[in-house]
Amino acid sequence: MTTHQTHGEQLSTINGAELCVETFGDPATPAIMLVAGSAASMLWWDADLCEQIAARGRFVIRYDHRDTGRSTSYPPGQPAYSFTDLTRDVLGIQDALGIERAHLVCQSMFGGIGHILGVDHPGRVASLTFVSSSTGADDLPPPSSDLAMPAEPDPPEAAAVVEYVVAGARAYAGGSPHFDEAAIRALVERDVARATSYASTLVNHYAIEFDEPARGGFGDIAAPTLVVHGDHDPLLPLAHGEALRDAIPGAELLVLKGAGHDLPRPVWDDFVSALVRHTDGGRA
């Protein structure tokens, strides 16, 4: 019989917003905070993946960003918060859970949250892991010419939205042999049904103000850092992950074979093993 590690979803008022947080595993073990990418609720950190990490002796936290899932939603195109607020949300969740220092795992666009916290709040960061992210340097390669994003749904009814998001996930997989459309469709259907306002999910993170950049560059990050990148990533080609590794002192790079701009199930063993090693100094 499977022993489930989840403690269930909880809604808490944090940093002026109601955020939905779910934890897995023993709170006495090292805490891993999973920060999803833009327009992604906690569901995109699959519960089975969270369970696997927790089973390796970690306290795993996933949460809904503002404008995703069950967390506070704002009118489409009118996010009443900034990038700084999203960054402070992570610290607020740590405070609410009594966690002084967490191992942060930040995905895609919200690798910027890890950058800010690693530079400006090093005492709250035990380690950093960047997944499918970038330094954003101008000389890095653009998205693949094969990346064809679907047209936005019109009208934006639920079934059309599901098709749109599934098509986007397919594009971001970059032709990965690991892409599982049935699994993605099931996830998206749950995500759309669960969201307070999926119309806001689709647009608001791309409309926020980038108000307070980190007070230093990636080279000022002192926390142990792991960079994880798929070799099929069409949005941020592998050179972006290599640039992150090179920019952060002592950083290591894990290349996920066959993965695109995501974490498909067939690469979980490699990812979890690397993350566990990274978050205990290599003794896993």
Side-chain angles (χ1 to χ4, degrees):
M1 183 174 67
T2 302
T3 301
H4 294 289
Q5 302 276 335
T6 182
H7 301 289
E9 297 181 9
Q10 301 290 329
L11 288 169
S12 301
T13 301
I14 293 169
N15 189 26
E18 192 171 51
L19 301 181
C20 186
V21 180
E22 184 176 18
T23 61
F24 301 77
D26 183 352
T29 58
I32 293 181
M33 174 81 72
L34 302 177
V35 181
S38 58
S41 75
M42 68 163 69
L43 297 188
W44 291 85
W45 294 111
D46 194 283
D48 287 348
L49 175 61
C50 296
E51 297 267 9
Q52 287 188 24
I53 300 170
R56 299 284 294 273
R58 299 293 181 270
F59 182 55
V60 179
I61 305 123
R62 67 175 187 172
Y63 69 100
D64 292 328
H65 292 292
R66 301 173 191 230
D67 278 317
T68 74
R70 298 175 61 203
S71 289
T72 294
S73 184
Y74 305 82
Q78 302 176 51
Y81 55 92
S82 67
F83 202 92
T84 296
D85 288 313
L86 295 181
T87 302
R88 290 174 178 164
D89 288 348
V90 174
L91 296 179
I93 292 169
Q94 288 185 214
D95 290 340
L97 294 173
I99 297 167
E100 181 62 27
R101 300 172 74 238
H103 298 277
L104 300 184
V105 182
C106 301
Q107 193 166 33
S108 193
M109 171 176 142
F110 289 146
I113 291 176
H115 177 199
I116 293 171
L117 292 178
V119 172
D120 294 348
H121 301 275
R124 307 300 305 274
V125 179
S127 75
L128 282 167
T129 299
F130 293 95
V131 180
S132 305
S133 196
S134 176
T135 63
D138 291 338
D139 60 347
L140 289 170
S144 168
S145 59
D146 295 330
L147 180 61
M149 295 302 295
E152 293 187 9
D154 184 25
E157 60 186 12
V161 169
V162 168
E163 293 302 324
Y164 169 72
V165 178
V166 170
R170 185 189 307 114
Y172 282 145
S176 168
H178 303 319
F179 181 68
D180 184 340
E181 181 154 340
I184 290 295
R185 184 175 299 278
L187 186 158
V188 174
E189 288 173 347
R190 286 188 291 123
D191 206 25
V192 171
R194 179 175 173 272
T196 302
S197 170
Y198 211 82
S200 301
T201 297
L202 290 175
V203 300
N204 278 2
H205 286 171
Y206 306 108
I208 61 176
E209 179 185 358
F210 289 79
D211 51 338
E212 294 182 22
R215 291 192 290 267
F218 285 95
D220 295 302
I221 292 175
T225 300
L226 174 66
V227 177
V228 179
H229 217 95
D231 63 359
H232 279 53
D233 192 332
L235 181 65
L236 300 173
L238 182 56
H240 289 254
E242 294 169 340
L244 261 178
R245 175 201 58 198
D246 295 343
I248 301 171
E252 298 183 1
L253 173 64
L254 170 66
V255 177
L256 298 176
K257 302 296 184 182
H261 194 69
D262 55 3
L263 280 174
R265 188 178 291 265
V267 303
W268 285 2
D269 285 348
D270 288 344
F271 172 69
V272 171
S273 293
L275 182 61
V276 170
R277 286 193 300 270
H278 178 59
T279 54
D280 75 352
R283 294 186 300 275

